[in-house]
Amino acid sequence: MSKRIRVRMADIKVGQADDIIITSGLGSCIGLTLYDSRTKVGGMAHIMLPKFPANKKKGNPAKYADTAIEMLLEQLESKGINKRRLEAKMAGGAQMFNLVNTNSKMRIGARNIEAVKEELNNYKIPLLGSEVGENYGRTMEFYTKTGEAKIKTVKHDDIIL
Amino acid sequence: MPLDDELSDLNPLELDALKEVASIGAGNAATSLSRMIDSKIEMSVPKVDILPVADVPEIIGGAEKLIAAVLVRIEGEINGGVLFTLDTASANLLIELLTGMDINIEEEMGELEASALKEIGNILTGANLNAFSKMLNIKIKPQVPALAYDMSGAILEVCFIELGQVGDYALVIETDFLSDLEEDINGNFFLIPNPDSLQVILNKLGVSDV
């Protein structure tokens, strides 16, 4: 049976076979999927911020790029995937409002994109597709059967990564 | 102190005080809007809530619901932003009342539509902030309004993250419109102070024990 699995903000979910993993309304956040095509096991993280704050002891690891990827990897490994076979796709990181005087601190979307790329690089996970940046919201649907990610937006046609 | 601790520490007295200021702000905004479109508009008593950040999009009817949103950043003694949101039909109605033109922003969001919405947002947030400024005796400098028309989840997410509510919980001051027009106006205000500013507001209200 195929399941539709919802991923909320700062949340991580894994699925397999016919499952569809969905996160809605990505703005500056990143939807990141990791997938092993041989076992058809995949997972998605809805990442809000680039880095787990150094001065904070506790917090939700699913919220930050560095700790979310680590957590997603752990959950996938417990499903028996091989780390070396993983491939990644990402969507989001938009700047929703065009603001005058936007300083770099405000461009969270762009910082999130960079942080996720850097972490993928650290883990040597290839990034097979990305639909990021710009100024519009996105919904990401990930099909564990095929490894395809469908990106839905309000103003544009669907994109398949 | 991390924001999450601070927020979950807000006691009923502090929440009530915030509600009080928000009520006056909403009243001011309602009066301005009534005057602008020459119809009677009232605002509901604001709801002041501390919600998990992930639940915030649900307030507006789900993360994929299309909304027009005007964000006005505020600077000065308190920093953060005021977000004013409308669903598509309500945005069309307000633009029509303001410009006398039959509008559908779902088909086209041109210069005229965008500037009408920004103007409405500007006036409403201005009236709202005036109340805060007077009651708290602080200077608030609203910045130029910015507009987005997109999925509510994406818009709210960006506002809460970028304005500094980076904890797991968000302070939401939410007000609904009530009008005697044939069609309802479904709109919301969100006041989003950054963590330090929330403390300033509470101190000024004289309810903070810090």
Side-chain angles (χ1 to χ4, degrees), chain A residues 124-141:
Chain A
K124 301 199 166 46
I125 301 172
L127 180 62
L128 291 199
S130 78
E131 218 284 294
V132 295
E134 305 295 337
N135 62 349
Y136 49 84
R138 298 167 172 94
T139 285
M140 187 181 205
E141 294 185 357

Side-chain angles (χ1 to χ4, degrees), chain A residues 6 8-9 22 24-29 46 48-49 56 58-60 63-64 94-101 106-109 135-139 152-155, chain B residues 2 4-5 52-55 57-58 63-64 66 69-71 73 83 143-151 153-155 157-159 161-163 165-169:
Chain A
R6 291 258 163 208
R8 290 151 55 89
M9 286 172 82
I22 304 163
S24 306
L26 287 163
S28 59
C29 292
H46 185 133
M48 293 171 69
L49 293 164
K56 226 174 140 182
K58 52 174 195 176
N60 176 3
K63 194 151 86 181
Y64 308 95
Q95 191 183 346
M96 300 297 298
F97 289 92
N98 255 327
L99 292 163
V100 198
N101 307 327
M106 293 300 179
R107 285 188 219 109
I108 303 237
N135 62 349
Y136 49 84
R138 298 167 172 94
T139 285
K152 295 177 169 176
T153 61
V154 173
K155 290 155 199 162
Chain B
D4 282 349
D5 297 345
V53 168
D55 288 350
E58 301 307 319
E64 288 188 36
L66 260 181
V70 180
L71 173 67
R73 281 179 199 275
L83 180 72
Q143 307 295 300
V144 183
L147 175 75
Y149 178 58
D150 212 307
M151 300 178 196
I155 289 173
E157 172 194 286
V158 168
C159 292
I161 298 172
E162 295 204 345
L163 297 174
Q165 298 268 5
V166 290
D168 295 330
Y169 290 85

Side-chain angles (χ1 to χ4, degrees), chain B residues 110-127:
Chain B
E111 278 291 314
L112 173 86
E113 292 85 354
S115 51
L117 282 174
K118 279 191 214 167
E119 187 55 26
I120 293 164
N122 213 8
I123 289 169
L124 291 183
T125 51

Side-chain angles (χ1 to χ4, degrees), chain A residues 147-158:
Chain A
E148 281 177 341
K150 188 192 280 180
I151 315 301
K152 295 177 169 176
T153 61
V154 173
K155 290 155 199 162
H156 308 275
D157 294 335
D158 293 354

Side-chain angles (χ1 to χ4, degrees), chain A residues 27-50:
Chain A
S28 59
C29 292
I30 304 273
L32 170 73
T33 62
L34 296 182
Y35 182 62
D36 173 4
S37 59
R38 193 171 310 168
T39 54
K40 308 226 178 285
V41 171
M44 185 190 287
H46 185 133
I47 295 164
M48 293 171 69
L49 293 164

